């Protein structure tokens, strides 16, 4: 609302504060603190709550660790029960060596102690180090994103930044993308493209046969060098508008004069050039266009506007500004020219302007309306322009009413709106403008690839419906070949409910008809009928902010969500920041799908925080979205590489890492479980204590980290060329509870073979000298060596992409095992620490026997060959799409075909685009009050600092402009010509 304190107005609106003429001092300081506290509260409400984001794999890991801990308890109970039974039946025979009467230990208490002993021995099955390893992998994946030169924007010198290290694998499981439009899909850089003046279109280029030519980079631009005030960055390709200006066409001049006067732009001098500061890019584009065609806005004061018209400096008295707001959707200024004539100039949405026109403009209105349809079909943002001559007496009466209504307290806004509409009625139409908000580079191609990856993209924008729809067509999100586009625009809950249900019933009815047709023609369509029907039957949903507010009510949210999920494309227009967050939360709550929100402005912060993954675009609207995001980059097109390459790789690597990590832990630990049945459940360990300590730290840590960091099933080119590979992450196929169960069974089987094959061999095996190899340390070294070799070979089979680092870590770790094994059982360490390294020479004696190596090879072969056989059969008989792409990649390794870029489909549409206006209330009141301009202490008339060019600079430019204007514009003023 608006608060007033001692004549000063304080406005808090949508988290933005304007202090109009406020100087905080004395008692006003306290009130100022209240205002800033209110601003902070509004900003916090706009941003939404900050949530701790966790990935799906994190939640699954926590569940699996609990399962493993429960499994550990079960193993402890089984072995403790076995100890109790063994001590009861067999242990009594050993009382001569371990008399119970001395220690007062019963069988039950012995089982109790054994339980905790085995909990300690088997605790390695609980992957405590897993969380540390996962964080290391995530950190590495984040660095890969930061270092990716293909996601670096040279124009803005901006690289991709992973602002978090906990969501990388989540990037490979995204199902819904919620995107802002302006600044995210578009560049938010408005370009004056075309205009219609008195029924004539300017901006198209024709060849010698009268056919319209496509404007490309090679098309010659209009030469504005004759105009010293022109903006060098402005480009226009139709010379006929320049000729019309030079011929002093009255309609063209009035059109450009309106663009130079009807705005809230401020001007200033910067490095000898005229620079505009505009409230919105639309206004800047329109004022810049008028400037290049000879009607340059020069400066303004609270009472005047100065314009350089065709070389002549003309000052207009500013009588009133009828400012823009979301209800009026138009802006007007009332000025008095040098001849004393009062004129009203207005620009705004065509649907509003056409209702206020004089009947004499009826024919021109129909012509302009058709031209606006043509502009809309090209995705341009349009404005209608009109003017009106005001009688002096009528204006005086109206101004008295206006001043009176401005001071009333009740219904002031409604009365002001009625007065505005009263004076704006009966205007004459001048024409229309068409501004292009250019798409960012690669947006259509990116959206096409994301759609092929089965990622649903919803556009949530605060813009008008027509603008969003046209951008949807430009981005290939909407297509003319879609079965139907449902528009929900009800104003009441009942209307919205009826429209949603009607649209849903239509989709379901068409689906039933198509299913029946497929059943009848089953023999004709065979395998691809359903697939083709799914491609052909595509729908889109467009819903505005008023209807969305009702659709998000508890009684309608499920209906809305079901309908939206049945549609290929969803566009929500005129939505507030809070509604964006509510839509994201609705999908998160009911679909249980991974969501990603991408935006570039402060109004996208709540959406970014609500989604699983937030992506910020560093564009034209500050850094609020970037600071609140999890990942950031400069262009929307980098999103495909973030998801289809880095996201898919991160999920693939993390899944393989977890599967192998659980496998090796079970294979390593459960050997103790099998050994417990043959050692009287005495909690005796199979391995040497140093091996238990170093297994996860030295022998197997680096290879699995290398696999988790560098492994890739297909390269980045094929990941982008085949977006459907991404579906495995969406369906959570690579690591889930089923995969965990399989790798657990695999690990248990490996541990079973690792123990029982050497155990059976050692029971009948003899050394070369005829003695038995029955000592426990030889048995331990054999099993440990077999385990290290098996897990090393197993990780080699699981790895798809070998690098020098992988080779170094895998084979280096295997070599490190033998080095440490011989070092710890060497004579040197025994001599230094005999109590710690007591098994001197055990490894040397054990591994010098050929029979031991035969046992190791047999154990390795039995453990590896079945898995290798299953992998081969699966790849040959039941290949996945990844297997096919890998085969294609290997066959085309030397001759890689060039990637074909997806072409942007051309279309024609009759949909009206939006008005090229900022959707916030304008700065008209601030300008007319003069409180945003710093007046000079010497003079209080037209001299002000920093808001307008200096007087000396103005004089120099006027002289140069006048000298050229007599040639360019044909000025008859001889004195100017002599100058």
């Amino acid at each position: 609302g608006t608060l007033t304190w001692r004549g000063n107005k304080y406005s808090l609106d949508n988290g933005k504060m304007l202090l109009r003429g406020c100087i905080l001092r004395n008692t006003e300081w306290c009130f100022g603190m209240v205002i800033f506290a209110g601003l902070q509260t509004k900003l916090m409400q706009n941003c939404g709550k900050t949530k701790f984001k966790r990935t799906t794999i994190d939640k699954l890991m926590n569940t699996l660790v609990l399962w493993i801990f429960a499994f550990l308890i079960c193993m402890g109970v089984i072995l403790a029960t076995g100890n109790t039974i063994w001590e009861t039946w067999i242990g009594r025979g050993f009382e001569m060596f371990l008399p119970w009467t001395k220690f007062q230990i019963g069988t039950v208490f012995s089982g109790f102690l054994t339980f905790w002993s085995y909990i300690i021995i088997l605790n390695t099955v609980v992957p405590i180090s897993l969380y540390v390893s996962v964080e290391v992998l995530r950190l590495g994946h984040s660095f890969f994103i930061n270092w990716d030169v293909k996601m670096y924007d040279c124009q803005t010198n901006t690289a991709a930044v992973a602002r978090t290290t906990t969501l990388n694998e989540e990037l490979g499981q995204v199902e819904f993308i919620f995107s802002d439009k302006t600044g995210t899909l578009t560049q938010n850089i408005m370009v004056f493209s075309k205009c219609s003046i008195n029924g004539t279109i300017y901006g198209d280029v024709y060849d010698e046969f009268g056919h319209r030519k496509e404007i490309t980079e090679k098309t010659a631009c209009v030469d504005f060098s004759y105009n010293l005030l022109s903006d060098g960055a402005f480009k226009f390709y139709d010379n006929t508008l320049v000729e019309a200006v030079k011929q002093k066409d009255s309609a063209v001049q009035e059109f450009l004069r309106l663009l130079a006067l009807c705005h809230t732009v401020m001007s200033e001098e910067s490095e000898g050039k005229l620079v505009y500061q505009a409230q919105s890019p639309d206004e800047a584009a329109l004022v810049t266009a008028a400037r290049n065609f000879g009607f340059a806005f020069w400066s303004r004061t609270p009472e005047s506007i100065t314009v350089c018209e065709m070389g002549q400096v003309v000052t207009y008295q500013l009588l009133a500004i009828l400012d823009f707001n979301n209800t009026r959707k138009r802006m007007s200024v009332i000025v008095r020219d040098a001849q004393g004539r009062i004129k009203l100039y207005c620009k705004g949405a065509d649907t509003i302007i056409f209702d206020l026109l004089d009947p004499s403009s009826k024919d021109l209105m129909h012509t302009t309306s058709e031209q606006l349809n043509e502009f809309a079909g090209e995705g341009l943002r349009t404005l209608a322009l009109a003017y009106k001559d005001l009688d002096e007496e009528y204006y005086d009466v109206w101004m008295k009413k206006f001043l009176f209504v401005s001071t009333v307290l009740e219904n002031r806004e409604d009365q002001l709106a009625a007065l505005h509409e009263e004076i704006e009625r009966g205007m004459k139409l001048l024409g229309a403008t068409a501004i292009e908000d250019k798409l960012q580079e690669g947006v259509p191609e990116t959206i096409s690839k994301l759609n092929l990856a089965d990622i649903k993209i919803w556009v949530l924008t605060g813009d008008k419906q027509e603008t969003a729809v046209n951008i949807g067509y430009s981005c290939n999100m909407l297509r003319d070949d879609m079965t139907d586009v449902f528009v929900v625009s009800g104003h009441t809950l009942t209307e919205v409910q009826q429209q949603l249900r009607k649209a849903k019933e239509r989709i379901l009815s068409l689906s039933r008809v198509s299913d029946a047709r497929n059943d009848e023609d089953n023999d004709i369509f065979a395998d691809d009928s359903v697939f083709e029907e799914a491609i052909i039957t595509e729908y889109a949903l467009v819903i505005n902010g008023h209807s969305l507010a009702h659709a998000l009510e508890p009684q309608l949210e499920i209906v809305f969500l079901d309908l939206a999920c049945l549609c290929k494309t969803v566009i929500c227009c005129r939505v507030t920041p809070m509604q964006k967050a509510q839509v994201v939360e609705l999908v998160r709550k009911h679909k249980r799908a991974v969501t990603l929100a991408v935006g570039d402005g402060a109004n996208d912060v709540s959406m970014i925080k609500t989604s699983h993954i937030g992506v910020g675009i560093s564009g034209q609207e500050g850094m609020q979205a970037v600071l609140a995001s999890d990942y950031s980059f400069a262009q929307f097109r980098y999103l495909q590489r973030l998801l289809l390459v880095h996201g898919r790789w991160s999920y693939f690597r993390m899944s393989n890492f977890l599967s192998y990590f659980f496998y090796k832990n079970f294979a390593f630990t459960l050997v103790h479980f099998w050994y417990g049945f043959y050692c009287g459940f005495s909690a005796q360990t199979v391995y040497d204590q140093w091996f238990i300590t170093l297994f996860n730290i030295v022998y197997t840590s680096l290879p699995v980290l290398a696999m988790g960091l560098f492994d890739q099933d297909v390269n980045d080119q094929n990941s982008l060329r085949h977006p459907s590979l991404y579906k495995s992450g969406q369906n959570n196929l690579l690591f889930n509870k089923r995969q965990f169960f399989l790798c657990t069974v695999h690990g248990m089987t490996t541990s079973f073979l690792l123990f029982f094959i050497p155990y059976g061999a050692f029971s009948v095996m003899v050394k070369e000298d005829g003695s038995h190899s029955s000592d426990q340390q030889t048995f331990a070294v054999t099993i440990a060596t077999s385990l290290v070799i098996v897990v090393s070979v197993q990780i080699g089979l699981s790895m798809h992409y070998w690098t020098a680092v992988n080779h170094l870590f895998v084979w280096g770790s295997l070599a490190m095992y033998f080095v440490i094994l011989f070092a710890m059982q060497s004579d040197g360490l025994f001599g230094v620490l005999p109590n710690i390294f007591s098994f001197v020479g055990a490894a040397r004696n054990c591994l010098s026997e050929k029979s031991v190596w035969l046992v190791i090879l047999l154990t390795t072969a039995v453990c590896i060959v079945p898995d290798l056989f299953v992998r081969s059969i699966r790849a040959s008989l039941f290949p996945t799409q990844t297997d096919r792409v890998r085969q294609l990649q290997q066959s085309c390794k030397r001759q890689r075909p060039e990637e074909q870029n997806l072409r942007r489909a051309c279309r024609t549409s009759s949909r009206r685009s939006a008005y090229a206006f900022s959707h916030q209330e304008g700065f008209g009141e601030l300008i007319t009050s003069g409180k945003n301009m710093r007046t000079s202490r010497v003079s209080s008339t037209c001299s002000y600092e920093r808001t307008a060019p200096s007087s000396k600079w103005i004089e120099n430019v006027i002289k140069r402009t006048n000298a050229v204007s007599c040639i360019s514009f044909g000025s008859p003023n001889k004195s100017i010509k002599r100058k």
Side-chain angles (χ1 to χ4, degrees):
T2 302
L3 302 177
T4 304
W5 177 263
R6 294 188 179 182
N8 297 327
K9 292 184 177 180
Y10 305 82
S11 174
L12 284 173
D13 185 16
N14 292 331
K16 297 183 179 179
M17 181 170 69
L18 296 176
L19 297 181
R20 296 189 173 96
C22 172
I23 302 177
L24 298 178
R25 57 180 180 270
N26 300 333
T27 57
E28 292 186 2
W29 183 87
C30 297
F31 184 71
M33 294 302 100
V34 175
I35 291 295
F36 281 102
L39 171 62
Q40 185 179 10
T41 302
K42 289 291 288 185
L43 287 174
M44 292 175 65
Q45 291 175 353
N46 185 54
C47 293
K49 295 181 180 180
T50 301
K51 297 182 179 180
F52 178 71
K53 297 183 177 181
R54 297 166 57 192
T55 65
T56 306
I57 286 185
D58 271 337
K59 300 174 183 178
L60 179 60
M61 281 171 50
N62 294 337
T63 303
L64 297 180
V65 169
L66 292 177
W67 288 5
I68 293 174
F69 187 76
F71 179 67
L72 171 64
I73 299 297
C74 292
M75 288 193 297
V77 170
I78 292 173
L79 294 173
T81 304
N83 176 265
T84 302
I85 297 173
W86 190 89
E87 291 290 351
T88 302
W89 291 356
I90 304 176
R92 295 186 181 275
F94 294 88
E95 288 190 46
M96 183 179 297
F97 303 98
L98 296 174
W100 287 359
T101 56
K102 181 178 180 179
F103 298 101
Q104 298 298 323
I105 297 177
T107 57
V108 176
F109 188 68
S110 175
F112 175 77
L113 294 179
T114 303
F115 170 79
W116 293 110
S117 299
Y118 272 111
I119 291 296
I120 296 173
I121 293 174
L122 301 174
N123 77 90
T124 53
V125 76
V126 180
I128 303 300
S129 62
L130 174 65
Y131 290 91
V132 178
S133 302
V134 166
E135 292 304 320
V136 172
L137 294 183
R138 288 171 173 169
L139 180 63
H141 297 165
S142 299
F143 279 124
F144 292 154
I145 295 174
N146 298 341
W147 295 338
D148 192 348
V149 295
K150 295 183 180 179
M151 296 176 66
Y152 171 77
D153 187 62
C154 301
Q155 297 180 352
T156 59
N157 192 25
T158 304
V161 177
R163 302 175 56 84
T164 181
T165 60
T166 59
L167 302 175
N168 294 320
E169 65 271 12
E170 198 93 319
L171 291 171
Q173 298 178 281
V174 174
E175 294 185 46
F176 288 87
I177 292 179
F178 301 92
S179 174
D180 183 34
K181 183 190 72 65
T182 304
T184 303
L185 300 178
T186 63
Q187 300 179 16
N188 201 18
I189 300 176
M190 308 304 172
V191 178
F192 185 86
S193 178
K194 296 180 182 181
C195 63
S196 169
I197 305 176
N198 200 22
T200 303
I201 294 179
Y202 298 97
D204 291 327
V205 180
Y206 298 89
D207 57 16
E208 61 273 12
F209 302 104
H211 300 139
R212 183 187 299 179
K213 294 170 55 178
E214 182 180 359
I215 296 176
T216 62
E217 296 179 356
K218 297 181 180 180
T219 306
C221 300
V222 175
D223 185 10
F224 292 105
S225 59
Y226 64 87
N227 185 357
L228 298 182
L229 292 176
S230 63
D231 186 350
F234 180 80
K235 293 183 179 181
F236 201 74
Y237 301 92
D238 187 3
N239 285 283
T240 57
L241 182 56
V242 178
E243 297 298 327
V245 174
K246 292 181 178 180
Q247 293 174 8
K248 299 183 178 180
D249 187 310
S250 59
V252 173
Q253 288 188 348
E254 201 71 5
F255 182 92
L256 297 174
R257 186 177 292 113
L258 187 153
L259 295 181
L261 293 173
C262 187
H263 56 80
T264 57
V265 176
M266 304 299 293
S267 62
E268 63 180 6
E269 175 193 353
S270 177
E271 299 180 357
K273 295 182 180 180
L274 187 63
V275 179
Y276 293 147
Q277 301 294 336
Q279 179 184 0
S280 67
D282 306 81
E283 281 201 333
L286 295 175
V287 177
T288 301
R291 167 184 175 179
N292 277 62
F293 289 111
F295 286 74
F297 163 67
W298 195 278
S299 64
R300 70 162 69 245
T301 68
E303 296 85 16
S304 65
I305 299 177
T306 303
V307 180
C308 182
E309 298 182 357
M310 301 174 64
Q312 301 295 322
V313 177
V314 182
T315 300
Y316 294 86
Q317 182 183 359
L318 180 60
L319 301 178
I321 295 181
L322 311 183
D323 210 351
F324 167 87
N325 60 41
N326 285 333
T327 303
R328 283 172 44 77
K329 299 180 182 178
R330 63 189 183 276
M331 173 190 176
S332 300
V333 294
I334 302 176
V335 297
R336 189 193 304 271
D337 61 14
Q339 289 74 28
R341 294 173 297 185
I342 301 177
K343 290 191 175 184
L344 179 145
Y345 294 103
C346 181
K347 66 180 180 181
D350 52 279
T351 54
I352 302 298
I353 298 296
F354 287 171
D355 293 336
L356 301 174
L357 294 179
D358 186 83
S360 60
S361 299
K362 185 176 181 180
D363 295 336
L364 179 59
M365 181 187 69
H366 291 303
T367 303
T368 305
S369 180
E370 294 178 359
Q371 294 168 346
L372 285 171
N373 290 333
E374 182 181 344
F375 296 157
E378 300 174 12
L380 303 177
R381 299 159 63 94
T382 60
L383 277 177
L385 277 59
Y387 78 103
K388 179 181 181 181
D389 293 317
L390 299 178
D391 182 74
E392 185 78 30
E393 296 180 359
Y394 172 76
Y395 169 74
D396 291 339
V397 174
W398 181 87
M399 181 54 69
K400 291 178 181 179
K401 295 180 182 178
F402 180 77
L403 294 176
F404 173 76
V405 171
S406 299
T407 60
V408 300
L409 298 178
E410 296 182 359
N411 299 326
R412 180 173 58 181
E413 298 296 333
D414 296 337
Q415 296 183 48
L416 283 176
L419 278 178
H420 292 166
E421 185 173 347
E422 175 188 336
I423 198 171
E424 289 172 339
R425 285 202 171 274
M427 295 185 296
K428 295 182 180 179
L429 183 63
L430 279 173
T433 61
I435 293 179
E436 180 182 5
D437 185 5
K438 292 186 175 180
L439 286 176
Q440 292 186 10
E441 181 183 355
V443 168
E445 293 81 359
T446 300
I447 292 177
S448 297
K449 287 189 176 181
L450 294 178
N451 284 331
L452 292 175
D454 204 17
I455 300 177
K456 301 176 180 61
I457 303 177
W458 294 16
V459 176
L460 310 178
T461 177
D463 281 349
K464 194 181 175 183
Q465 175 179 319
E466 290 84 350
T467 304
V469 168
N470 281 287
I471 293 299
Y473 277 103
S474 301
C475 297
N476 287 338
M477 295 179 63
L478 298 176
R479 299 189 307 276
D480 289 332
D481 59 352
M482 281 186 164
T483 305
D484 204 346
V485 177
F486 303 105
V487 178
V488 179
S489 58
H491 293 281
T492 64
L493 182 65
T494 304
E495 292 178 358
V496 174
Q497 183 178 11
Q498 292 176 352
Q499 292 177 1
L500 291 175
R501 290 183 176 177
K502 184 177 179 180
K504 183 177 179 181
E505 290 174 359
R506 174 171 171 79
I507 295 177
L508 295 178
S509 63
L510 291 177
S511 299
R512 293 190 190 99
V513 172
S514 62
D515 291 341
R517 188 178 304 164
N518 289 333
D519 293 337
E520 293 177 0
D521 302 332
N522 189 28
D523 295 335
I524 300 176
F525 290 100
D527 297 334
D528 297 330
S529 59
V530 178
F531 178 77
E532 293 176 358
E533 188 66 25
I535 295 298
I536 296 174
T537 308
E538 293 182 355
Y539 304 91
L541 174 64
V542 179
I543 184 171
N544 58 32
H546 294 292
S547 302
L548 185 61
H550 296 298
L552 293 175
E553 294 291 333
Q555 57 268 37
L556 284 184
E557 61 179 11
I558 300 300
V559 179
F560 166 68
L561 181 61
D562 291 342
L563 174 61
C565 292
L566 291 173
C567 296
K568 186 74 173 179
T569 299
V570 178
I571 299 178
C572 302
C573 317
R574 286 299 204 177
V575 294
T576 64
M578 188 56 63
Q579 285 179 326
K580 292 183 178 182
Q582 289 174 348
V583 172
V584 177
E585 183 64 30
L586 178 65
V587 176
R588 286 193 59 170
K589 179 180 178 181
H590 296 285
K591 299 303 293 184
R592 299 187 181 274
V594 178
T595 60
L596 181 146
V598 53
D600 71 316
N603 58 339
D604 304 316
V605 170
S606 58
M607 173 178 68
I608 288 174
K609 288 185 175 181
T610 305
S611 62
H612 292 89
I613 304 171
V615 176
I617 304 292
S618 53
Q620 306 290 328
E621 298 188 18
M623 299 293 290
Q624 293 93 333
V626 171
L627 295 176
S629 65
D630 304 304
Y631 301 89
S632 65
F633 38 74
Q635 297 287 334
F636 181 83
R637 59 190 171 95
Y638 298 140
L639 185 61
Q640 64 171 316
R641 186 167 182 85
L642 180 69
L643 298 183
L644 302 184
V645 177
H646 291 287
R648 202 183 68 82
W649 278 353
S650 295
Y651 174 71
F652 167 77
R653 290 164 176 168
M654 188 63 68
S655 300
N656 279 9
F657 165 81
L658 292 175
S659 298
Y660 176 77
F661 197 96
F662 287 121
Y663 159 76
K664 75 178 183 66
N665 268 21
F666 277 93
F668 163 62
T669 305
L670 263 63
V671 172
H672 293 295
F673 179 80
W674 310 119
Y675 184 59
F677 291 90
Y678 294 89
C679 67
F681 304 98
S682 60
Q684 170 68 37
T685 59
V686 178
Y687 312 114
D688 178 28
Q689 297 298 324
W690 283 103
F691 179 81
I692 297 176
T693 303
L694 298 177
F695 179 77
N696 280 323
I697 298 177
V698 178
Y699 302 148
T700 60
S701 60
L702 293 181
V704 69
L705 286 177
M707 182 180 69
L709 284 173
F710 303 108
D711 196 20
Q712 53 182 256
D713 50 355
V714 297
N715 55 30
D716 55 345
Q717 293 89 351
N718 282 315
S719 295
L720 294 174
R721 189 178 291 117
H722 303 279
S724 56
L725 294 174
Y726 189 83
K727 297 179 182 179
S728 60
Q730 294 174 330
N731 299 324
N732 201 21
L733 298 179
L734 299 185
F735 187 77
N736 46 41
K737 294 177 180 178
R738 178 178 177 273
Q739 292 297 324
F740 168 75
F741 177 76
L742 292 178
C743 67
T744 300
V745 172
H746 188 195
M748 294 176 65
T749 304
T750 301
S751 67
F752 183 86
L753 296 174
L754 283 172
F755 175 77
F756 282 102
I757 292 178
Y759 182 83
F762 270 68
S763 62
V764 297
M765 187 175 66
V766 295
K767 296 182 179 180
E768 294 180 358
D769 58 359
S771 61
H772 288 280
S773 301
S774 57
D775 61 288
Q776 196 267 345
Q777 188 60 27
T778 301
F779 183 65
V781 171
T782 303
I783 294 180
T785 305
S786 302
L787 173 64
V788 174
I789 295 176
V790 167
V791 296
S792 298
V793 175
Q794 190 67 45
I795 199 173
L797 295 177
S798 301
M799 207 171 299
H800 300 77
Y801 181 72
W802 285 87
T803 65
V805 176
N806 294 84
H807 282 288
L808 175 64
F809 285 174
V810 173
W811 311 126
S813 297
L814 185 59
M816 185 63 66
Y817 163 74
F818 288 103
V819 171
I820 294 176
L821 176 65
F822 284 106
M824 287 191 303
Q825 299 184 5
S826 63
D827 298 337
L829 287 180
F830 175 76
V832 176
L833 299 171
N835 294 330
I836 297 177
F837 303 101
S838 56
F839 298 104
V840 57
R844 184 171 58 251
N845 294 332
C846 172
L847 297 180
S848 62
E849 296 289 334
K850 297 178 182 179
S851 57
V852 172
W853 280 107
L854 288 175
V855 172
I856 294 174
L857 292 177
L858 176 63
T859 305
T860 303
V862 174
C863 292
I864 295 299
V865 171
D867 181 65
L868 183 62
F869 178 76
V870 171
R871 290 174 183 266
S872 302
I873 293 298
R874 184 188 303 167
S876 301
L877 301 182
F878 309 101
T880 62
Q881 187 174 6
T882 304
D883 296 331
R884 298 189 188 98
V885 175
R886 280 181 56 81
Q887 293 176 2
L888 181 64
Q889 176 178 309
Q890 293 173 359
S891 62
C892 301
K893 190 173 182 179
R894 295 184 178 180
Q895 298 179 352
R896 297 179 179 177
E898 297 183 359
E899 185 174 2
Q900 298 179 353
N901 295 326
L902 298 174
R903 295 185 178 179
R904 179 174 167 181
C906 300
R907 69 172 190 88
T908 59
S909 175
S910 60
R911 292 168 177 82
R912 185 67 50 82
S913 69
Y915 51 94
F917 249 81
S918 169
H919 296 293
Q920 303 171 5
E921 188 172 356
F923 294 152
E925 181 181 351
L926 194 62
I927 291 174
T928 54
S929 66
K931 294 178 180 179
N932 66 323
M933 304 176 184
R934 302 200 311 188
T935 58
S936 174
R937 296 181 179 178
V938 179
S939 174
S940 61
T941 56
C942 297
S943 176
Y944 52 93
E945 302 173 356
R946 296 183 65 182
T947 58
S950 63
S951 58
K952 185 176 180 181
W953 182 76
I954 291 176
E955 293 176 0
N956 294 333
V957 176
I958 287 177
K959 290 179 181 180
R960 289 182 291 164
T961 304
N962 289 341
V964 179
S965 64
C966 61
I967 302 175
S968 302
F969 299 112
S971 174
N973 192 331
K974 296 181 180 180
S975 62
I976 296 178
K977 186 175 182 179
R978 285 195 297 271
K979 290 181 181 180

